[in-house]
Amino acid sequence: MATRENDDRIALLQGTLDLLILKTLVLGSCHGQGVARLIQSQSEDVFLVDHGSLYVALQRLEDRKWIRAKWGVSENNRKARFYSLTQHGREQLVEKTGEWRRLTRAMGLILDSGNGPQREEA
Amino acid sequence: MFRRKRTSQDFAEEIKAHLELEADDLEREGLSQDEARWKARREFGNVRAVQERFYARGRWVWLDRLLRDVRFGLRSLRQSPGFSATAILTLALGIGANTAVFSVMNAVLLRSLPVSDPDRLVYLRTSNPPRGTGTIDSNETFSYPVYDALRRQSRGLSPVMAYVPLSNSKVAVRYGAQPEEAEGDMVSGTFFSGLGVNLPRGRGFSEEDETNHAPIIVISYNWWTRRFARDPDVLGKTLYVNGVAMTIVGVAAESFEGVEGSGSTDFWIPLQNRRELNAWGNPPQDGKLYVANSTWWCMRMIGRLAPGVTRAQAVAQLQPVFQAAAYVGLGSPMEGEKPPVLSLADAKSFAGYDQQYGNPLRMLMAMVGLVLLIALANVVMLLLARNATRQREFSVRQALGAGRGELLRQLLTESLILVSAGGALAWGFAEMATRLLGQWAEIESSIAPDRTVLLFTLGVLVFAALLFSLAPLRVALGGGATLALKTSAATSNTDAGKSRTGKIIVALQMALCVVLLVGGGLLTRTLRNLENTPLGMRIEGLAVFGVKPNIPSIPQGVAFYVSLMNKLRVLPGVESVTIMEERLGSWWSDNGDMRVDGRLPEVASGASRTVRSNVVGPDFFRTLGIPVLAGRDFADSDTASSPHVGIINEQFAKRFLPNENPLGHTIGTDDGRYTMTIVGVVKDHKYRSIDEEPIPMAWYMYAQIPMVGPMHVEMRVHGEPLAILPSARKAVQQLDPNLPLIRPMTQREQFDTTISQHVLFARLAGFFGFLAVVLVATGLYGSLAYRVNMRTVEIGVRMAVGARRGQVVWMILKDSLLLTASGVAIGIPLAMLVGHALTSSLYGVKPLDAVSYLLAVLGVTVVALAASAAPAGRAASVDPMTALRSE
């Protein structure tokens, strides 16, 4: 049963997982399992994608009309649901990528600044 | 969302596809088929949880859950339809009765006058009128000079408004050709503006209208609807009031029907100064109308506190003005005379209603409150019984992991369903009952339930819902999860504490039932006494109606009545006809001191000298069928030129002329200006109302006194009295086409109006007593039957070891008789308190009336025995073997 706490956790992941999905789909349409594998391999197995969350995220993006989905046939002849980016999704990808870059740069600036208690503890 | 929503099934399929694709990949990476499938599934995690998240996405989870709870609740209530129907009906009756009585009470006692800022309005009151004045009400009415002084010199009240009826019942009006009657008041020019009453059509009055006695009229919305069918063109039309032409200039706001609660005013005109429109429809006294008569205190007054002025400040400013004005035309106060003192009373709500309906309504409210308590207790007991049998269910659910919160939620939902169903039914029931109540009580203002009533009902419902869900919770949780493991119902159903609670509730219900039955019994016996009270006259075959002719002079007035009576006497079926100033059985009477043989009679200190008098026509006592004990009745031969004659009753003779022959003595008015010789003594009889005690009375002959005004005509006829009215109406209109018959009815009906409130009150009390008995009987039956059920095994064992049927039956009966006894023991003292509170509503019955108490005790005992008979019979017919095997 879904509860509020779960929703909060999703919210935390949302930014990153959504962005990763959009980025993966920019290469072309793909099914959910493919997206999971791609993220895992492209991140050099740093990210272990929770499959359940992935499908919920895919559904969410579809609801927002950032991606669209169609049932099709995979390369090894299995039935699968294929996702592709919409125009709206592309715009979002550009925007979110920018946001993420600014965020990581700012984080980097702070963490590399060379003062602060963390360093002594580290 | 524009697209059709994706189904959960489609989502499930996608996950299935994912697992297959993943397994394919894993297999390609070198795992065996089975291992690949396993790993794919393991990596995915909890499929169900994801599907749940998909399902919950974008939904109101709580609503979803509530719907599910409601569905579950409905299902479980449907499983015991008998219980559900009883609970809902009991609630509907209990709450409906409360809502109905409360809405009447709300309308009559709590609701404000329909005016702007009612909190700043005050009625003017006086401690007493000065000596030598006549009043309508010794505390509430004032003379015109007092009004005039207050309105000119008041700074504390702005404005001071006066209003005075044109008649003590209705006045003759004519619109078009047909004469009819309506209730009307003369009012100050500031009346509508000062009260802040809107006029949706036309205009109100101005101070100029008052000064000029403008012939204009404002009609009430209600009358406009009833009489004129909301014709917008009625403005500017002419309406004749007592034959005086008035132009309709406005229609008052919808709910405004005057500032006195009892009765509803149909129209208002500015204060007038002409004999046809004297205050209260009285003839001029010594040639003076109310405007010039400083000794007739006949006007009611209401005022609005000036901005920033407190009530005390207003009184302080007005007091000297009032006390000076009170003696205008009277000379200075006598030595030691207490001057009248002005005070101000709350005018927020109707003044008249509280006096008239206050106590009965409060008593009724208390009664229905008791009924509600009984009803709630009943439902609680039903719930306790039902949930006790469900204890196993609760235990199993707890064992399966349901939390206390979940059980509470379920109980709450079930009680919410019961309460909403009961509440909806109750509201419909109350609307109906309210309408009936309004008709019976003849309350003319609107008493339909409003928002306050709705809030009250909702409050009761919420309380009931909480009570119903919390009371059984203890039982539900009490078992705990382990009870599910016990197998015998016998072990789980013999909880002593639980049945003690049930016992206490039943005993209290019995006590309340005794209280209601005693109350109902006392009032019903009162009613019986009232209905069987001898009136001292032949009441059947009498018809009465009022006439209000235009009387330019006394001889013309007398001539009118002589010719009217002559016309009526010759109508077919008429036995005799007479006239009277005060109508019998209408609560009205003219009270005052009288001289006997030239001086005010000596009475023992503290005793009353008051004599009730009436002005009547020839054949008065013969027509009414009142025995003349000595002397004679008035006759046509008693005229203005013959010697003045009067008639007295036994009481008068006994009190003022003891031990002598009253015939031949002279009596007269207290100022000594009119005297008459006693020519007859009549038997005491009822005069104002059915429930009065006889007091000294005297009758004047109308044709001999120096005053003649509107009269009531009394006709004794053969057959149905009301059948005479059409021909009587024709006879009246031959004399004056403007005259309607005012309030025509039988004399019996007229007397019955004086006990109509008692009748209504007694009927309602009887009804609620009956309702309580029915509720207590159902509750008792339910709980006894349930307890006998629980004891089936025990009874089986008892019978197996040799108990006889009689012993078993007695065991059950003894149980309920003990309950009854304790209920009666608590109920009797309570009932005595109630009886004491009822004293003022009783007639011919003592508050400690043994018969009522006996009947009440007998009533609850019978109910208890009847309710136990069936369970006891069932208990006795238990076959020991079946009982023992039943587990």
Side-chain angles (χ1 to χ4, degrees):
Chain A
M1 213 181 266
T3 65
R4 284 243 172 254
E5 284 164 54
N6 276 349
D7 291 345
D8 286 344
R9 188 161 55 81
I10 292 167
L12 280 176
L13 281 173
Q14 228 162 354
T16 39
L17 188 54
D18 288 1
L19 183 56
L20 290 175
I21 292 171
L22 291 176
K23 177 70 187 168
T24 314
L25 289 181
V26 96
L27 304 169
S29 72
C30 187
H31 50 69
Q33 189 255 353
V35 172
R37 287 236 151 198
L38 269 172
I39 291 174
Q40 214 162 320
S41 62
Q42 284 190 345
S43 69
E44 297 171 347
D45 286 336
V46 171
F47 291 148
L48 186 70
V49 180
D50 176 54
H51 293 165
S53 299
L54 174 74
Y55 279 97
V56 174
L58 280 169
Q59 186 56 48
R60 189 172 52 238
L61 294 181
E62 194 185 335
D63 286 346
R64 286 188 198 154
K65 310 244 166 78
W66 293 4
I67 59 178
R68 70 172 82 86
K70 214 161 76 186
W71 282 96
V73 181
S74 73
E75 58 269 36
N76 48 357
N77 244 347
R78 293 253 184 217
K79 210 177 114 188
R81 204 161 187 261
F82 282 82
Y83 294 91
S84 54
L85 276 186
T86 62
Q87 188 52 43
H88 191 43
R90 273 172 222 285
E91 287 161 17
Q92 286 294 327
L93 176 61
V94 174
E95 194 178 310
K96 297 272 175 202
T97 312
E99 262 174 37
W100 181 252
R101 289 258 157 79
R102 281 200 300 281
L103 179 74
T104 46
R105 184 170 169 275
M107 290 288 287
L109 283 175
I110 293 166
L111 294 176
D112 295 342
S113 65
N115 53 21
Q118 292 94 335
R119 198 151 186 218
E120 284 153 18
E121 275 174 26
Chain B
M1 305 278 148
F2 303 99
R3 248 180 320 175
R4 213 177 35 202
K5 217 166 187 181
R6 194 178 165 198
T7 63
S8 316
Q9 210 172 356
D10 194 73
F11 187 74
E13 229 162 281
E14 186 178 11
I15 290 173
K16 206 173 123 216
H18 169 98
L19 294 175
E20 281 164 0
L21 285 168
E22 183 72 15
D24 282 355
D25 277 358
L26 289 169
E27 223 174 308
R28 226 171 301 134
E29 283 163 15
L31 293 178
S32 77
Q33 202 183 359
D34 280 352
E35 269 179 326
R37 241 182 245 161
W38 249 115
K39 194 168 178 213
R41 188 157 267 263
R42 208 174 56 224
E43 272 179 6
F44 193 91
N46 190 342
V47 175
R48 289 252 157 235
V50 175
Q51 285 176 342
E52 187 68 34
R53 268 163 74 189
F54 172 82
Y55 177 79
R57 170 190 53 102
R59 273 171 204 265
W60 289 352
V61 179
W62 62 267
L63 183 69
D64 201 49
R65 205 189 293 174
L66 179 73
L67 283 177
R68 216 168 31 198
D69 281 344
V70 168
R71 268 198 299 273
F72 183 80
L74 282 176
R75 215 162 44 228
S76 79
L77 286 177
R78 216 176 304 142
Q79 276 167 3
S80 36
F83 159 79
S84 313
T86 315
I88 290 173
L89 260 179
T90 306
L91 275 180
L93 286 176
I95 295 175
N98 273 271
T99 304
V101 174
F102 181 79
S103 64
V104 174
M105 191 158 118
N106 173 54
V108 170
L109 301 181
L110 308 177
R111 205 186 280 170
S112 300
L113 280 173
V115 298
S116 69
D117 202 5
D119 288 333
R120 307 281 299 165
L121 282 180
V122 285
Y123 289 113
L124 279 72
R125 299 279 189 258
T126 171
S127 57
N128 58 286
R131 150 200 56 87
T133 56
T135 66
I136 298 295
D137 183 304
S138 51
N139 300 120
E140 297 180 3
T141 49
F142 299 87
S143 67
Y144 186 87
V146 169
Y147 159 66
D148 202 43
L150 290 183
R151 119 186 120 118
R152 285 173 201 284
Q153 299 173 45
S154 166
R155 290 187 311 277
L157 293 178
S158 145
V160 173
M161 298 156 269
Y163 54 102
V164 54
L166 286 164
S167 149
N168 58 29
S169 57
K170 294 188 171 186
V171 294
V173 295
R174 185 165 62 80
Y175 179 76
Q178 175 71 23
E180 51 202 304
E181 42 174 18
E183 264 177 59
D185 279 5
M186 288 192 282
V187 299
S188 299
T190 49
F191 189 70
F192 292 104
S193 56
L195 289 175
V197 171
N198 283 329
L199 288 106
R201 278 164 195 281
R203 65 176 182 97
F205 304 143
S206 65
E207 289 186 61
E208 246 170 60
D209 292 331
E210 181 183 344
T211 340
N212 301 338
H213 308 298
I216 55 176
I217 186 166
V218 168
I219 59 178
S220 81
Y221 195 91
N222 193 349
W223 201 43
W224 184 49
T225 308
R226 229 171 45 229
R227 172 61 184 83
F228 302 97
R230 298 203 191 156
D231 178 6
D233 296 332
V234 79
L235 296 185
K237 294 278 167 59
T238 304
L239 191 74
Y240 293 87
V241 179
N242 280 346
V244 180
M246 300 265 168
T247 310
I248 302 176
V249 295
V251 178
E254 188 166 351
S255 51
F256 184 72
E257 295 181 349
V259 288
E260 296 287 308
S262 40
S264 56
T265 312
D266 297 320
F267 68 86
W268 298 267
I269 58 176
L271 291 170
Q272 300 291 325
N273 187 15
R274 53 196 304 167
R275 54 184 301 126
E276 300 95 319
L277 298 172
N278 197 11
W280 296 91
N282 275 21
Q285 196 181 3
D286 301 329
K288 284 191 281 190
L289 294 175
Y290 75 102
V291 181
N293 191 342
S294 58
T295 58
W296 190 32
W297 289 43
C298 64
M299 304 175 84
R300 295 182 192 276
M301 286 201 268
I302 189 167
R304 184 177 284 282
L305 291 171
V309 174
T310 67
R311 209 179 281 187
Q313 287 168 339
V315 171
Q317 191 260 313
L318 290 172
Q319 201 67 263
V321 180
F322 168 70
Q323 287 179 345
Y327 286 94
V328 169
L330 287 179
S332 45
M334 268 162 59
E335 191 91 3
E337 183 184 338
K338 259 197 298 185
V341 179
L342 182 78
S343 60
L344 301 176
D346 225 339
K348 206 165 53 188
S349 48
F350 298 106
Y353 271 180
D354 197 30
Q355 272 175 352
Q356 203 180 345
Y357 299 109
N359 270 330
L361 267 178
R362 274 184 274 268
M363 290 304 299
L364 274 186
M365 197 66 224
M367 287 190 88
V368 291
L370 291 187
V371 170
L372 181 64
L373 271 185
I374 294 181
L376 289 181
N378 253 2
V379 178
V380 165
M381 278 199 320
L382 282 171
L383 275 171
L384 282 177
R386 173 178 135 88
N387 287 338
T389 54
R390 287 166 78 196
Q391 207 162 36
R392 196 96 59 92
E393 175 199 331
F394 290 127
S395 299
V396 170
R397 295 188 57 189
Q398 270 181 290
L400 288 179
R404 288 175 166 232
E406 244 128 46
L407 283 187
L408 173 65
R409 226 180 51 222
Q410 189 204 332
L411 290 173
L412 201 66
T413 319
E414 278 178 23
S415 79
L416 267 180
I417 295 173
L418 283 181
V419 165
S420 352
L425 211 59
W427 189 258
F429 175 65
E431 288 229 315
M432 222 167 58
T434 311
R435 216 168 304 137
L436 285 178
L437 268 178
Q439 276 173 19
W440 287 347
E442 289 167 355
I443 297 170
E444 290 178 31
S445 47
S446 159
I447 54 172
D450 64 359
R451 217 175 36 183
T452 322
V453 179
L454 188 63
L455 279 179
F456 167 83
T457 310
L458 283 180
V460 173
L461 289 175
V462 167
F463 173 73
L466 282 178
L467 181 73
F468 295 161
S469 44
L470 292 181
L473 184 65
R474 201 169 59 94
V475 181
L477 297 180
T482 49
L483 188 72
L485 304 175
K486 298 184 190 168
T487 47
S488 166
T491 50
S492 61
N493 290 332
T494 47
D495 180 350
K498 187 176 62 205
S499 60
R500 203 191 314 130
T501 319
K503 268 185 186 173
I504 293 173
I505 296 179
V506 173
L508 285 180
Q509 278 192 314
M510 299 278 226
L512 295 183
C513 193
V514 168
V515 173
L516 286 170
L517 280 179
V518 168
L522 287 175
L523 290 170
T524 312
R525 281 169 61 79
T526 296
L527 179 62
R528 179 100 31 90
N529 287 342
L530 284 173
E531 282 173 345
N532 296 338
T533 305
L535 297 177
M537 66 187 79
R538 268 168 56 220
I539 190 76
E540 306 306 334
L542 287 173
V544 62
F545 60 86
V547 279
K548 202 169 233 174
N550 185 15
I551 299 173
S553 71
I554 292 174
Q556 279 166 293
V558 173
F560 172 88
Y561 287 115
V562 169
S563 53
L564 176 62
M565 281 189 285
N566 285 339
K567 273 182 184 301
L568 293 173
R569 277 173 186 157
V570 296
L571 292 177
V574 174
E575 197 179 313
S576 64
V577 176
T578 188
I579 54 174
M580 57 200 166
E581 191 177 85
E582 308 278 6
R583 183 189 287 209
L584 265 67
S586 63
W587 283 116
W588 287 94
S589 69
D590 193 351
N591 303 328
D593 297 349
M594 277 186 96
R595 292 190 183 219
V596 178
D597 295 328
R599 55 194 166 79
L600 289 175
E602 303 281 327
V603 285
S605 67
S608 168
R609 201 153 52 192
T610 302
V611 175
R612 192 165 278 168
S613 59
N614 200 356
V615 174
V616 300
D619 287 339
F620 182 74
F621 298 100
R622 182 167 75 90
T623 307
L624 284 165
I626 298 164
V628 178
L629 300 175
R632 64 171 175 95
D633 201 344
F634 290 125
D636 287 328
S637 54
D638 297 316
T639 62
S641 51
S642 67
H644 293 174
V645 291
I647 293 177
I648 59 170
N649 68 351
E650 292 172 277
Q651 283 289 323
F652 190 107
K654 225 178 281 169
R655 187 162 313 167
F656 304 124
L657 295 164
N659 310 321
E660 32 189 333
N661 182 0
L663 297 183
H665 286 270
T666 56
I667 54 175
T669 53
D670 61 344
D671 56 9
R673 280 156 67 181
Y674 182 87
T675 55
M676 55 193 180
T677 309
I678 299 174
V679 294
V681 179
V682 298
K683 209 168 162 46
D684 289 339
H685 56 273
K686 298 291 176 185
Y687 178 67
R688 282 193 335 161
S689 64
I690 292 184
D691 58 351
E692 71 184 3
E693 296 299 322
I695 81 163
M697 286 201 63
W699 287 267
Y700 297 86
M701 173 67 191
Y702 86 103
Q704 298 181 327
I705 61 168
M707 208 199 297
V708 61
M711 289 278 188
H712 293 276
V713 177
E714 188 91 62
M715 303 177 73
R716 175 168 294 284
V717 297
H718 301 290
E720 164 59 35
L722 292 185
I724 199 68
L725 292 177
S727 46
R729 184 171 288 124
K730 229 175 275 165
V732 170
Q733 282 166 14
Q734 278 167 11
L735 289 172
D736 183 346
N738 270 330
L739 295 184
L741 304 189
I742 296 171
R743 288 188 304 138
M745 59 179 86
T746 65
Q747 187 61 54
R748 158 64 77 187
E749 280 173 327
Q750 181 62 59
F751 264 111
D752 281 347
T753 60
T754 64
I755 55 165
S756 61
Q757 209 185 316
H758 284 289
V759 172
L760 175 70
F761 191 27
R763 286 213 187 115
L764 285 176
F767 172 74
F768 290 129
F770 176 73
L771 189 61
V773 169
V774 171
L775 289 179
V776 167
T778 26
L780 199 63
Y781 178 81
S783 69
L784 278 174
Y786 157 71
R787 286 169 56 177
V788 171
N789 257 353
M790 294 294 101
R791 293 170 75 180
T792 305
V793 177
E794 181 204 330
I795 292 169
V797 173
R798 282 172 187 271
M799 292 184 74
V801 298
R804 283 188 310 274
R805 294 178 59 119
Q807 283 174 309
V808 172
V809 171
W810 174 239
M811 181 178 81
I812 306 291
L813 286 185
K814 195 180 65 184
D815 221 31
S816 50
L817 282 179
L818 272 176
L819 281 181
T820 314
S822 36
V824 167
I826 308 169
I828 294 278
L830 283 178
M832 281 156 79
L833 283 179
V834 170
H836 186 71
L838 277 174
T839 311
S840 67
S841 306
L842 300 181
Y843 179 76
V845 189
K846 292 259 155 4
L848 285 176
D849 178 51
V851 178
S852 300
Y853 283 80
L854 269 179
L855 283 177
V857 170
L858 204 68
V860 288
T861 314
V862 166
V863 163
L865 287 181
S868 345
R874 202 172 328 139
S877 57
V878 166
D879 172 19
M881 287 321 287
T882 329
L884 290 174
R885 280 206 205 97
S886 71
E887 281 300 327

